[in-house]
Amino acid sequence: MTDSKMLPDRPRSDGRAVNQLRNIRFENGVAPNAAGSTLVHWGNTRVICAATIEEVVPRWMKEQQVPGGWITAEYSMLPYSTTDRKARDISKGRLDGRSSEIQRLIGRSLRAALDLTKLGQRTLWLDCDVLQADGGTRTAAITGAWVALNLAIRKLGSAGKLTTNPIIEQVAAASVGIVEGRPLLDLCYVEDAAADVDMNLVMTASGKFIELQGSGEESTFSRSELDQLLEVGRTGIEQILELQRAALT
Amino acid sequence: MTDSKMLPDRPRSDGRAVNQLRNIRFENGVAPNAAGSTLVHWGNTRVICAATIEEVVPRWMKEQQVPGGWITAEYSMLPYSTTDRKARDISKGRLDGRSSEIQRLIGRSLRAALDLTKLGQRTLWLDCDVLQADGGTRTAAITGAWVALNLAIRKLGSAGKLTTNPIIEQVAAASVGIVEGRPLLDLCYVEDAAADVDMNLVMTASGKFIELQGSGEESTFSRSELDQLLEVGRTGIEQILELQRAALT
Amino acid sequence: MTDSKMLPDRPRSDGRAVNQLRNIRFENGVAPNAAGSTLVHWGNTRVICAATIEEVVPRWMKEQQVPGGWITAEYSMLPYSTTDRKARDISKGRLDGRSSEIQRLIGRSLRAALDLTKLGQRTLWLDCDVLQADGGTRTAAITGAWVALNLAIRKLGSAGKLTTNPIIEQVAAASVGIVEGRPLLDLCYVEDAAADVDMNLVMTASGKFIELQGSGEESTFSRSELDQLLEVGRTGIEQILELQRAALT
Amino acid sequence: MTDSKMLPDRPRSDGRAVNQLRNIRFENGVAPNAAGSTLVHWGNTRVICAATIEEVVPRWMKEQQVPGGWITAEYSMLPYSTTDRKARDISKGRLDGRSSEIQRLIGRSLRAALDLTKLGQRTLWLDCDVLQADGGTRTAAITGAWVALNLAIRKLGSAGKLTTNPIIEQVAAASVGIVEGRPLLDLCYVEDAAADVDMNLVMTASGKFIELQGSGEESTFSRSELDQLLEVGRTGIEQILELQRAALT
Amino acid sequence: MTDSKMLPDRPRSDGRAVNQLRNIRFENGVAPNAAGSTLVHWGNTRVICAATIEEVVPRWMKEQQVPGGWITAEYSMLPYSTTDRKARDISKGRLDGRSSEIQRLIGRSLRAALDLTKLGQRTLWLDCDVLQADGGTRTAAITGAWVALNLAIRKLGSAGKLTTNPIIEQVAAASVGIVEGRPLLDLCYVEDAAADVDMNLVMTASGKFIELQGSGEESTFSRSELDQLLEVGRTGIEQILELQRAALT
Amino acid sequence: MTDSKMLPDRPRSDGRAVNQLRNIRFENGVAPNAAGSTLVHWGNTRVICAATIEEVVPRWMKEQQVPGGWITAEYSMLPYSTTDRKARDISKGRLDGRSSEIQRLIGRSLRAALDLTKLGQRTLWLDCDVLQADGGTRTAAITGAWVALNLAIRKLGSAGKLTTNPIIEQVAAASVGIVEGRPLLDLCYVEDAAADVDMNLVMTASGKFIELQGSGEESTFSRSELDQLLEVGRTGIEQILELQRAALT
């Protein structure tokens, strides 16, 4: 981290305050064939989150006779989501490492939201496709996936396919980071590219952590910097949780 | 083709007349990082069409010193576009044959719309991603790709990167087919699945053909049936061309 | 299409008349381990067509309990079939798009030739490998595949594995195109490369269409040009059908 | 996390105290063709860490004219490292997601240890191959990679290929977790499988964080639990840093 | 090896004497676009051997500035060459190990036939595609590749592209094996499947060895058995060399 | 082979006599999770050989109801085993041909060592990973695999999973070659690179051959040279067999 002594009230690149989220809204039903879907608008970032249901469980669950269901996630950036066109995975012949890492994170985060034993013997797929990338796509994906998941669970419930509600946690995510010496909430792309420290928090409505991933981007951070980031992130996530709830009423 | 004697005025599955298009509208700018983009709503079918620009030409053009630029297309169905989730190409490790065929068709169709020598030494990528599939995704993709292409060309023009307008043709596409003995315009999925003959037409505003692909789906069709389908398709495409023009004003 | 005013009696590159086929002959039994095989000599184009039988149906047929059998085709150009060596698909790691498109066309065309419910629960593979490419490989492949299919069906019949003959149509294919303003039958490579319009017709002995694929190669064509091409193609296919019958007697 | 009230002095599965590391030792020079190598013995976990040097930088560095060098890491589990044989990546045709995630973590962690501009125009590869897996392979890999990196830098230095020492941080890693209500240092496999919370810390000799990844394994954790884990991890890493230094004298 | 005491004059499955070759003939020019080609008929085994020329050398030769040219071979079994259809490599996504091994053997064998420095800066591809498999496909491939190679070298010579003849050895191959206690020359498929020992010899007209690969198929063989096989093989190869020469006059 | 007249007593590059092996020792138990493992030190060549057991047989054995078990081998060079880093197979997307060939050789050689019908319905995997390459990795791999196989069979025996000992042969391998006119035993890398003839012998304690692969490396060899190589190899293998036995006591 640079030790530059920035004035704390210097405006951010897009005019926000240090602890201010970008505008976030959910456009539900964008993919009507899915069991649940939402297009998350998160500043200039846009992510399609869709939940689909397969009435089978993965082979390893069958073989090990694990009861209940499973949640699995896939994440991809559409080729036109970035300013320079991004080649499709299939053109390169392999899933890129970053996408693989992110979809594993989404899967773990959302599995913590459910009591999988109450899901029934089915797999819930959470697909997150980035339509426009301006930083924070993974936190937007997790946050939107929770909304899509709820819409799908409702649909299963209405169809009489669930005996009890399997949802046990409300889950949202936010990014925080240290940019030019200041802890910032919800980094956009230019901030993310300039960040010394980059952290993603996945938390529940009960204020607990599900995932916490902090990285000094070829740099380091101290314990007190960590504490500041956790505090900034917590307050951001509280607001996001509220927006999720509003999107489902 | 079955030789059933259907009453010509029997309503279609969705209530349309035999020569009636579904509702078609274009939601431009859906992917702002692209040079041009539109979300085509075509009945229940939805396709994201985005044009992006790379300031290089393919290797074979460089090696053979072909002047001008190139247009290439990619087509994909998002996993949640179908009622049963469709596995991603990268999960199966290969592009499926149908997608490969469709993206080649889109590319050929749009290359006919441009004087490539006036495009400059650049590649125009046309990505078509199906958000919801209800029949006619390839014709929606071609039709929308032409809109996205125009938006991108305008952007290039505004940026002073083109000396003359390379667009020489307006291009639109429609599907026609014979279902239970009747030639129908613009088949939705249930009609497509029941069709004895399935035909895709790509035509220009000047009334000429760019592509014509007719297939007796494990069946055959006569010359007079072909003539009827061409006529139904021609009138449909005339209306679609008008909607395209409206979307660009 | 160029509007050049060519004399209609100008000889073609290989001296043929505009509506004249190249020499076509079938060398049956070239691959004795196949159930049926033929090497199609079509001018300088040579395609090995072989039918093999697997006593299972594809998984999707089993799962959906579709009665009867299936036909599937694979098409490939041998590396030495072109003047510049063509790398094998496995060396490039993927089936090229053109081959994928052609093998789907062959499969659809030949499925229309059979009553699949009378084939029994088996898969008939039609492999078409191009030994020498000089234009028209896909039409030669379809035409030869029908011969190989018949040889295989005969063998199944002789072995007492069929109760009734499943063949319901005789199927042949021809290419037509517009080159320097003239509609030509059966394009060789140099004509194909120069063609403004390129069309492949798959027709039955009863004069009906199975497949019809016309493409203005980065160009367009009018309705009257289409009509001329259909007429030229029809007369060519009639001759090809006769040659097929001769090859099976 | 379960709220079981365990006695804090209950012995661990292998008899260790809650804040006690397993035995750790480094067997340097195990792969003499590498520029630097060490076999980390970490309890029953064994990881080969090898640094090799390529006198080129990645293509993107050349294209963007980024000065200095690069560090990249690869992680793999040898098939016989687990009790049930693990199929090789090449047999499955794809790198598994977990390995991809870990090798990205190793790369980021070690890049923070170096001033890349002082490395010269070369790539330092850090290969980590697990010979025996008993939990903590990623922290063993990072810790050993730092040792191998130092050996390789020494070799470069001795060969007169470096003008200044590029190493700016000493880097080590440890895992911590909450198992049956107790925060434990350095989880072995059976503890890892039973953990409610699993965290990996990568820290420097100066007590700063490089990476921090905590995950409620389909569970959640509170802020106070996080604080306890960070404290336990910090003391563990201090001991590991000392062992690294000893291994290099 | 079984210790059965067979009468030495017991006829072979196809009536041949123990040291008798199958009928071998070469049908040259089967793939006219190749620089040289031959279809080897070897009993019921049929292999297309084609030589094509690329006017570049492999990257490693350029980088290491190795003078002269290169020979590389590819081997594949066409799907209909076996009695049960063999899936294409591209369908399985990988070259099978046996094919990989055989094509490496063909390449090494033929490189020994040439003074590569006299070939000029070009690559000679030797493609061997099995049209019908009845044992001995690799020896037929090597033997035919030498014929195809000669035809290609002649063509290069006629075109004035070679200053001296690069061919330094005549190369042919034969299989030998021990079946039911008897050393046999040129095993057909049923003999090969029953063989205790299987050996492939690649030899020159000067009686020297290029390659020698013997394998106790899950069995062993003694020195005296080896000597017998070498003698049987030598006499067989002498006859094959004569047939090659006849095929080139 | 060059006909240079070298003095037979000229010392080898590493000072050995022409028929002298490098130092060979076995470090057993290097991968404790395997059923049997050994690290072969063979001069500067080091290969990890590990045997693991899967309680299933390959699909083809099940389908064809072949009794008993199976042995399969995999061979790989670790990236840091060579002086220039060798990219992993998974990075290149394909197993390289040489590795494929070697692992097939190891598998065949070891299957000859066992009565597979006495192994029970299980698969024995033999993984050979090269830690350091200095010539002779395939012969070291076969030799070490036999040791690892024995350790695994002992473990199965101790666990009461075998009724009789399935091992029927002791198997070892050595390389021989002709370098500058002299037949040499056990070639190191510099000798291997300079060899005119390269031969690998796999033999049993009873003095019989399992595999014999000789290759004139773009050269040829005579019958008398072959005889010399076989004799030099036989005496070398006798010593190696003794070292194997010592490693298992």
Side-chain angles (χ1 to χ4, degrees):
Chain A
M1 205 197 84
T2 66
D3 61 351
S4 59
K5 295 189 181 76
M6 296 271 106
L7 296 177
D9 49 1
R10 200 175 60 93
R12 292 165 71 173
S13 65
D14 53 4
R16 283 184 286 151
V18 291
N19 59 356
Q20 191 182 344
L21 291 169
R22 290 178 281 181
N23 285 328
I24 298 171
R25 69 188 171 86
F26 301 88
E27 188 182 338
N28 292 350
V30 72
N33 277 339
S37 69
T38 195
L39 171 54
V40 188
H41 297 255
W42 190 304
N44 289 325
T45 289
R46 297 185 189 181
V47 184
I48 306 167
C49 299
T52 51
I53 292 158
E54 250 190 338
E55 294 291 332
V56 288
V57 291
R59 178 192 292 261
W60 65 265
M61 285 187 78
K62 260 185 256 170
E63 286 175 358
Q64 300 175 26
Q65 299 189 300
V66 178
W70 190 246
I71 292 178
T72 194
E74 297 200 345
Y75 168 96
S76 182
M77 296 182 77
L78 289 162
Y80 36 83
S81 62
T82 46
T83 46
D84 289 340
R85 185 176 184 279
K86 190 177 180 300
R88 291 174 193 263
D89 293 321
I90 192 65
S91 303
K92 294 173 297 180
R94 62 180 70 193
L95 187 64
D96 76 80
R98 178 182 165 275
S99 295
S100 164
E101 189 176 313
I102 293 176
Q103 68 190 25
R104 285 165 52 85
L105 172 66
I106 301 171
R108 285 198 309 271
S109 297
L110 274 295
R111 283 195 293 275
L114 245 77
D115 181 341
L116 291 168
T117 62
K118 294 187 179 154
L119 183 56
Q121 285 214 325
R122 49 178 64 96
T123 300
L124 224 148
W125 290 82
L126 293 169
D127 284 287
C128 301
D129 288 279
V130 179
L131 191 54
Q132 186 167 225
D134 185 32
T137 61
R138 85 187 68 189
T139 47
I142 292 166
T143 301
W146 190 82
V147 172
L149 176 72
N150 269 265
L151 295 169
I153 292 294
R154 278 188 196 172
K155 195 168 179 181
L156 276 177
S158 307
K161 292 189 175 171
L162 293 171
T163 48
T164 46
N165 187 349
I167 298 179
I168 51 177
E169 296 282 3
Q170 185 184 348
V171 174
S175 77
V176 288
I178 298 180
V179 183
E180 296 181 347
R182 294 189 304 178
L184 300 183
L185 175 64
D186 186 20
L187 278 56
C188 67
Y189 180 73
V190 291
E191 292 170 340
D192 189 68
D196 290 306
V197 183
D198 183 18
M199 184 168 291
N200 290 290
L201 299 177
V202 186
M203 296 182 74
T204 66
S206 52
K208 295 207 166 180
F209 296 97
I210 289 177
E211 290 275 339
L212 171 64
Q213 297 195 337
S215 173
E217 298 280 326
E218 274 104 66
S219 174
T220 61
F221 54 103
S222 68
R223 178 61 200 263
S224 84
E225 287 170 328
L226 170 61
D227 288 345
Q228 287 177 65
L229 289 171
L230 293 175
E231 180 54 22
V232 169
R234 193 187 56 75
T235 60
I237 284 181
E238 278 168 14
Q239 299 167 58
I240 298 166
L241 289 159
E242 220 159 298
L243 293 166
Q244 280 179 321
R245 285 188 296 264
L248 287 168
T249 51
Chain B
M1 208 198 82
T2 64
D3 61 350
S4 58
K5 294 191 181 75
M6 296 272 107
L7 296 179
D9 49 1
R10 199 174 59 93
R12 292 167 70 174
S13 65
D14 54 4
R16 282 185 286 152
V18 291
N19 60 354
Q20 191 183 343
L21 290 171
R22 290 177 282 180
N23 285 330
I24 298 172
R25 69 188 170 84
F26 301 89
E27 189 183 339
N28 292 352
V30 71
N33 278 339
S37 68
T38 194
L39 170 54
V40 188
H41 297 255
W42 190 305
N44 289 325
T45 288
R46 296 184 190 184
V47 184
I48 306 167
C49 300
T52 51
I53 292 157
E54 252 189 338
E55 295 291 331
V56 288
V57 291
R59 177 192 294 260
W60 65 264
M61 284 187 78
K62 261 185 257 170
E63 287 175 357
Q64 299 175 25
Q65 299 189 301
V66 178
W70 190 246
I71 292 178
T72 194
E74 297 200 345
Y75 168 96
S76 182
M77 297 183 78
L78 288 162
Y80 34 84
S81 62
T82 46
T83 46
D84 289 341
R85 185 177 183 278
K86 189 176 180 301
R88 292 174 191 264
D89 293 321
I90 192 65
S91 303
K92 293 174 297 179
R94 62 180 69 192
L95 187 64
D96 76 80
R98 178 182 165 276
S99 294
S100 165
E101 188 175 313
I102 293 176
Q103 68 190 23
R104 284 165 53 86
L105 172 64
I106 302 171
R108 284 198 309 272
S109 297
L110 274 294
R111 282 195 292 276
L114 245 76
D115 182 341
L116 291 168
T117 62
K118 294 186 179 157
L119 183 56
Q121 285 213 326
R122 49 177 64 97
T123 300
L124 224 148
W125 290 83
L126 293 169
D127 284 287
C128 301
D129 288 278
V130 179
L131 191 53
Q132 186 167 231
D134 185 33
T137 63
R138 84 187 68 191
T139 47
I142 292 166
T143 301
W146 190 82
V147 172
L149 175 72
N150 269 266
L151 295 169
I153 291 294
R154 278 188 195 172
K155 197 170 179 179
L156 276 177
S158 305
K161 293 188 174 170
L162 294 171
T163 48
T164 47
N165 187 351
I167 299 179
I168 51 176
E169 296 282 3
Q170 184 183 348
V171 175
S175 77
V176 288
I178 298 180
V179 183
E180 297 180 347
R182 295 189 303 177
L184 299 184
L185 175 64
D186 185 20
L187 278 56
C188 67
Y189 180 73
V190 292
E191 291 170 338
D192 189 69
D196 289 307
V197 182
D198 183 18
M199 185 168 292
N200 291 289
L201 299 178
V202 186
M203 295 182 74
T204 66
S206 53
K208 294 208 167 178
F209 296 97
I210 289 177
E211 291 275 339
L212 171 64
Q213 298 194 336
S215 174
E217 297 280 325
E218 275 102 67
S219 173
T220 61
F221 54 102
S222 68
R223 177 61 201 265
S224 84
E225 286 170 330
L226 170 61
D227 289 344
Q228 287 176 66
L229 289 171
L230 293 175
E231 180 55 22
V232 170
R234 191 188 56 75
T235 60
I237 285 180
E238 278 168 13
Q239 298 167 61
I240 298 166
L241 289 159
E242 220 158 298
L243 293 165
Q244 279 180 322
R245 285 188 294 264
L248 286 167
T249 52
Chain C
M1 207 197 84
T2 67
D3 60 351
S4 59
K5 296 192 181 73
M6 296 272 107
L7 297 178
D9 49 1
R10 199 175 60 92
R12 293 167 70 174
S13 64
D14 53 4
R16 281 185 287 153
V18 290
N19 59 355
Q20 190 182 344
L21 291 170
R22 291 177 281 180
N23 285 329
I24 298 172
R25 68 188 171 84
F26 301 89
E27 188 182 339
N28 292 351
V30 71
N33 278 338
S37 69
T38 194
L39 170 54
V40 188
H41 297 255
W42 189 304
N44 290 325
T45 288
R46 297 184 189 182
V47 184
I48 306 167
C49 299
T52 50
I53 292 158
E54 252 189 337
E55 295 291 331
V56 289
V57 290
R59 177 192 293 261
W60 65 264
M61 284 187 78
K62 262 186 253 170
E63 287 175 358
Q64 299 175 26
Q65 299 189 301
V66 178
W70 190 245
I71 292 178
T72 194
E74 297 200 346
Y75 168 96
S76 182
M77 296 181 79
L78 289 163
Y80 35 83
S81 62
T82 46
T83 45
D84 288 340
R85 186 177 182 277
K86 190 177 179 299
R88 292 174 192 263
D89 293 321
I90 193 64
S91 302
K92 294 174 296 179
R94 62 181 69 193
L95 187 63
D96 76 80
R98 176 181 166 278
S99 294
S100 165
E101 189 176 312
I102 293 176
Q103 67 190 25
R104 285 165 52 85
L105 172 65
I106 301 171
R108 285 198 308 273
S109 297
L110 274 295
R111 283 195 292 275
L114 245 76
D115 182 341
L116 291 168
T117 62
K118 294 187 180 154
L119 184 57
Q121 286 213 325
R122 49 178 64 98
T123 299
L124 224 149
W125 291 83
L126 293 169
D127 285 286
C128 302
D129 289 278
V130 179
L131 190 54
Q132 185 167 227
D134 185 33
T137 63
R138 85 186 68 190
T139 46
I142 292 167
T143 301
W146 189 82
V147 172
L149 175 72
N150 269 266
L151 295 170
I153 291 295
R154 278 188 195 172
K155 196 169 180 180
L156 276 177
S158 306
K161 292 187 174 171
L162 294 172
T163 47
T164 47
N165 186 350
I167 299 178
I168 51 176
E169 297 281 3
Q170 184 184 349
V171 174
S175 77
V176 288
I178 298 181
V179 183
E180 295 180 346
R182 294 190 302 177
L184 299 184
L185 175 65
D186 186 19
L187 279 55
C188 67
Y189 181 74
V190 291
E191 291 170 339
D192 189 67
D196 291 305
V197 181
D198 184 17
M199 184 168 292
N200 291 290
L201 299 177
V202 186
M203 295 183 73
T204 66
S206 53
K208 295 207 167 180
F209 296 98
I210 289 177
E211 291 275 338
L212 171 63
Q213 298 194 337
S215 174
E217 298 280 326
E218 273 102 68
S219 174
T220 62
F221 55 102
S222 67
R223 178 60 201 264
S224 84
E225 287 169 328
L226 171 60
D227 289 344
Q228 288 175 66
L229 289 171
L230 293 175
E231 181 54 22
V232 170
R234 191 187 57 75
T235 60
I237 285 180
E238 278 169 13
Q239 299 167 60
I240 298 166
L241 289 159
E242 219 157 300
L243 294 166
Q244 280 180 322
R245 285 189 295 265
L248 287 167
T249 51
Chain D
M1 206 197 82
T2 66
D3 60 349
S4 59
K5 294 190 181 75
M6 295 272 107
L7 296 178
D9 49 0
R10 199 174 61 90
R12 293 166 68 174
S13 65
D14 54 4
R16 282 185 287 152
V18 291
N19 59 355
Q20 191 183 343
L21 291 170
R22 290 177 281 179
N23 285 330
I24 298 171
R25 68 189 170 85
F26 301 89
E27 187 181 341
N28 292 351
V30 71
N33 278 339
S37 68
T38 195
L39 169 54
V40 188
H41 297 255
W42 190 304
N44 290 325
T45 289
R46 295 184 190 183
V47 183
I48 305 167
C49 299
T52 51
I53 293 158
E54 251 189 338
E55 295 291 332
V56 289
V57 291
R59 178 192 294 260
W60 66 265
M61 285 186 78
K62 263 186 254 171
E63 287 175 358
Q64 299 175 26
Q65 299 189 300
V66 178
W70 190 247
I71 292 179
T72 194
E74 297 201 344
Y75 168 95
S76 181
M77 297 182 77
L78 289 163
Y80 35 83
S81 62
T82 46
T83 46
D84 289 341
R85 185 176 183 279
K86 189 176 179 301
R88 291 174 193 264
D89 293 322
I90 192 64
S91 303
K92 293 174 296 180
R94 61 180 70 192
L95 187 63
D96 76 80
R98 178 183 165 276
S99 294
S100 165
E101 190 176 313
I102 293 176
Q103 68 189 24
R104 285 165 52 85
L105 172 65
I106 301 171
R108 285 198 309 271
S109 298
L110 274 294
R111 283 195 292 276
L114 245 76
D115 182 341
L116 291 168
T117 63
K118 294 186 180 156
L119 184 57
Q121 286 214 326
R122 49 178 63 98
T123 300
L124 223 148
W125 290 82
L126 293 169
D127 285 287
C128 301
D129 288 279
V130 179
L131 192 52
Q132 182 164 282
D134 185 32
T137 62
R138 84 186 69 188
T139 47
I142 293 167
T143 301
W146 190 82
V147 172
L149 175 71
N150 268 265
L151 295 169
I153 291 294
R154 278 188 196 172
K155 195 168 180 179
L156 277 176
S158 305
K161 292 190 175 169
L162 293 171
T163 47
T164 48
N165 187 349
I167 299 179
I168 52 176
E169 297 281 5
Q170 185 184 348
V171 174
S175 77
V176 289
I178 298 181
V179 183
E180 295 180 348
R182 293 189 304 177
L184 300 184
L185 175 65
D186 186 20
L187 278 56
C188 67
Y189 181 73
V190 292
E191 291 170 339
D192 189 69
D196 290 306
V197 182
D198 183 18
M199 184 168 293
N200 291 290
L201 300 177
V202 185
M203 295 183 75
T204 66
S206 52
K208 295 208 166 180
F209 296 99
I210 289 177
E211 290 275 340
L212 172 63
Q213 297 195 339
S215 174
E217 298 279 327
E218 274 102 68
S219 174
T220 61
F221 55 103
S222 68
R223 177 60 200 265
S224 84
E225 287 170 328
L226 170 60
D227 288 345
Q228 287 176 65
L229 289 171
L230 293 175
E231 181 52 23
V232 169
R234 193 187 54 76
T235 60
I237 285 179
E238 278 169 14
Q239 298 167 60
I240 298 165
L241 289 159
E242 220 159 297
L243 294 165
Q244 279 179 321
R245 285 188 294 265
L248 287 167
T249 53
Chain E
M1 206 196 84
T2 66
D3 60 351
S4 58
K5 295 188 183 75
M6 296 272 107
L7 297 178
D9 49 0
R10 200 175 60 92
R12 292 167 70 173
S13 64
D14 53 4
R16 282 185 287 153
V18 290
N19 59 355
Q20 190 182 346
L21 290 170
R22 291 178 280 180
N23 286 328
I24 298 171
R25 68 188 171 86
F26 301 89
E27 187 182 339
N28 292 351
V30 71
N33 278 338
S37 68
T38 195
L39 169 55
V40 188
H41 298 255
W42 190 304
N44 289 326
T45 288
R46 295 184 190 183
V47 184
I48 306 167
C49 299
T52 51
I53 292 158
E54 251 188 339
E55 295 291 332
V56 288
V57 291
R59 178 192 293 260
W60 66 265
M61 284 187 79
K62 261 186 254 169
E63 287 175 358
Q64 299 175 27
Q65 299 190 299
V66 178
W70 190 246
I71 291 178
T72 194
E74 297 201 344
Y75 168 96
S76 182
M77 296 182 78
L78 288 163
Y80 35 83
S81 62
T82 46
T83 46
D84 289 339
R85 186 177 181 278
K86 190 177 179 300
R88 291 174 193 265
D89 293 322
I90 192 65
S91 303
K92 295 173 297 180
R94 64 180 67 193
L95 187 63
D96 74 81
R98 177 181 165 277
S99 294
S100 165
E101 189 176 313
I102 293 175
Q103 67 190 24
R104 285 164 52 85
L105 172 65
I106 302 171
R108 284 198 309 273
S109 298
L110 273 295
R111 283 195 293 275
L114 245 76
D115 181 340
L116 291 168
T117 61
K118 294 187 180 155
L119 184 57
Q121 286 214 325
R122 48 177 65 96
T123 300
L124 223 148
W125 290 82
L126 292 169
D127 285 287
C128 301
D129 288 279
V130 179
L131 191 54
Q132 183 164 296
D134 185 34
T137 62
R138 85 187 68 190
T139 46
I142 292 167
T143 301
W146 190 81
V147 172
L149 175 72
N150 269 265
L151 295 169
I153 291 295
R154 278 187 196 172
K155 195 168 180 181
L156 277 176
S158 306
K161 293 188 175 172
L162 293 171
T163 48
T164 46
N165 187 350
I167 299 179
I168 51 176
E169 297 281 4
Q170 184 184 347
V171 174
S175 78
V176 288
I178 298 180
V179 183
E180 295 180 348
R182 294 190 303 177
L184 300 184
L185 175 64
D186 186 19
L187 278 55
C188 66
Y189 181 74
V190 292
E191 291 170 339
D192 189 66
D196 290 306
V197 182
D198 184 16
M199 184 168 293
N200 290 290
L201 299 178
V202 185
M203 296 182 74
T204 65
S206 52
K208 294 207 167 180
F209 296 98
I210 289 177
E211 290 275 339
L212 171 64
Q213 297 194 336
S215 174
E217 298 279 327
E218 274 103 68
S219 174
T220 61
F221 54 103
S222 67
R223 178 61 201 264
S224 84
E225 286 169 330
L226 171 60
D227 288 344
Q228 287 176 65
L229 289 171
L230 293 175
E231 181 54 23
V232 169
R234 192 187 57 74
T235 60
I237 285 180
E238 278 169 14
Q239 299 167 58
I240 299 166
L241 289 159
E242 221 159 298
L243 294 165
Q244 279 179 322
R245 284 188 295 265
L248 287 167
T249 53
Chain F
M1 208 198 82
T2 66
D3 60 351
S4 58
K5 294 191 181 76
M6 296 272 104
L7 295 178
D9 49 1
R10 199 175 60 93
R12 293 166 70 174
S13 64
D14 53 4
R16 281 185 288 152
V18 291
N19 60 353
Q20 190 183 343
L21 291 170
R22 291 177 281 180
N23 285 329
I24 298 171
R25 68 188 170 86
F26 301 89
E27 187 182 340
N28 292 351
V30 71
N33 278 338
S37 68
T38 194
L39 171 54
V40 188
H41 297 255
W42 189 304
N44 289 324
T45 288
R46 296 185 189 182
V47 184
I48 306 167
C49 299
T52 52
I53 293 158
E54 253 190 337
E55 296 291 331
V56 289
V57 290
R59 177 192 293 260
W60 65 266
M61 284 187 77
K62 261 185 255 170
E63 287 175 358
Q64 299 175 27
Q65 299 190 299
V66 178
W70 190 245
I71 291 179
T72 194
E74 297 201 345
Y75 168 95
S76 182
M77 296 182 78
L78 288 162
Y80 35 84
S81 62
T82 45
T83 46
D84 288 341
R85 185 177 184 278
K86 188 177 181 299
R88 291 174 192 265
D89 294 321
I90 191 65
S91 302
K92 294 173 296 179
R94 62 180 69 192
L95 187 64
D96 76 81
R98 178 182 164 277
S99 294
S100 165
E101 189 175 314
I102 293 176
Q103 68 190 22
R104 285 165 52 85
L105 172 65
I106 301 171
R108 284 199 308 272
S109 297
L110 274 294
R111 283 195 292 276
L114 245 76
D115 181 341
L116 291 168
T117 63
K118 295 187 179 155
L119 183 58
Q121 285 214 326
R122 49 178 65 96
T123 300
L124 224 149
W125 290 83
L126 293 170
D127 285 286
C128 302
D129 288 278
V130 178
L131 190 53
Q132 186 168 226
D134 185 33
T137 63
R138 85 186 67 189
T139 46
I142 292 166
T143 301
W146 190 81
V147 172
L149 175 72
N150 269 266
L151 295 169
I153 291 295
R154 278 188 197 172
K155 197 169 180 179
L156 277 176
S158 306
K161 293 188 173 170
L162 293 172
T163 48
T164 47
N165 187 350
I167 299 179
I168 52 176
E169 296 281 4
Q170 184 184 348
V171 175
S175 77
V176 288
I178 298 181
V179 183
E180 297 180 346
R182 293 191 303 177
L184 299 184
L185 175 64
D186 185 20
L187 278 56
C188 66
Y189 181 74
V190 292
E191 291 170 339
D192 189 69
D196 290 306
V197 182
D198 184 18
M199 184 169 293
N200 290 290
L201 299 178
V202 185
M203 295 182 74
T204 66
S206 51
K208 294 207 167 180
F209 296 98
I210 289 178
E211 290 275 339
L212 170 64
Q213 297 195 337
S215 174
E217 298 279 326
E218 274 102 65
S219 175
T220 60
F221 54 103
S222 67
R223 178 60 201 266
S224 85
E225 286 169 329
L226 171 61
D227 289 344
Q228 287 176 66
L229 289 171
L230 293 175
E231 180 54 22
V232 169
R234 192 187 56 73
T235 61
I237 285 180
E238 277 168 15
Q239 299 167 59
I240 299 166
L241 289 159
E242 220 158 298
L243 293 165
Q244 279 179 322
R245 285 190 294 265
L248 287 167
T249 52

